[in-house]
Amino acid sequence: MKALHYIITAAFCIAAVCSKGQQVSAEVGRVNTTFHYRDSKGNSSLLLNPETHFSYGVGYRQSIKRNIHYGGSLMFNEYGSNGVDSYLIHMFSWNVKYAGFEGRFDWDFIKTNNFSLFIRAAAGYQFFIGGTQQIDKETINLSRVEQFNKPLWFITPSAGATYCLSEKAAFVLSYRYGYGAAHGSDEPASEQLHFTTNTINIGLLWSLAKCKYCKDINY
């Protein structure tokens, strides 16, 4: 319930800012996730493989200058991994779902009237909303597992390109790297789990009234 409260609060904040923003966006992508696990002694006792699932996001963007922007987004991600223990005896797999929000800054380092290349600095929080772990043939609900029920802070730098389809709509293709870890730990020597992600997104960017991001250099 606390995670849902945070997400709803962030949604209202983004909606309020978006009402004055210059662009809104929607995107979908494929996220490849690697789990990094260490036990309480600091040993990496599992041999884990990445899995690929879907990622979704909606957001807004406000322009500071012609090529500098700030904004935020709400997102939903599905993460997964599978592998075996170091003795090749037990098989493991995870499938987890997170929802969250992030703030971001974009810089169009190359921009013409129709095309731009950008880099993005972004960070935010994601909250566990469901998932399971399978150990051999046993399935475990992860809702009460400490490593998953804490919020994850994520750093997500990105790079991408936009191509204008009209004066008010642009196609966006981007790559996003992510590093996420649980916020806080009860004990310094507790088990540690963090994620690294690689995401390819496609989406659309729409300009709102009186703002022509594409084909117009005068805001």
Side-chain angles (χ1 to χ4, degrees), residues 28-31 52-56 76-79:
V28 61
R30 296 286 280 171
V31 53
T52 302
H53 295 279
F54 278 100
S55 172
Y56 306 91
F76 172 88
N77 292 297
E78 185 175 358
Y79 303 126

Side-chain angles (χ1 to χ4, degrees), residues 60-78:
Y60 78 96
R61 193 170 76 165
Q62 180 81 30
S63 297
I64 301 174
K65 295 182 178 180
R66 179 174 182 255
N67 64 335
I68 299 176
H69 323 275
Y70 70 91
S73 67
L74 296 174
M75 62 190 64
F76 172 88
N77 292 297
E78 185 175 358

Side-chain angles (χ1 to χ4, degrees), residues 22-23 61-70 105-108 111 211 213 216-219:
Q22 291 186 318
Q23 297 106 35
R61 193 170 76 165
Q62 180 81 30
S63 297
I64 301 174
K65 295 182 178 180
R66 179 174 182 255
N67 64 335
I68 299 176
H69 323 275
Y70 70 91
F105 279 92
D106 292 3
W107 173 43
D108 297 325
K111 179 164 174 56
C211 170
Y213 173 70
D216 188 348
I217 64 173
N218 299 312
Y219 283 158

Side-chain angles (χ1 to χ4, degrees), residues 201-219:
N201 285 316
I202 59 173
L204 290 175
L205 181 69
W206 293 276
S207 291
L208 302 179
K210 298 181 181 181
C211 170
K212 298 177 181 179
Y213 173 70
C214 294
K215 303 180 182 180
D216 188 348
I217 64 173
N218 299 312
Y219 283 158

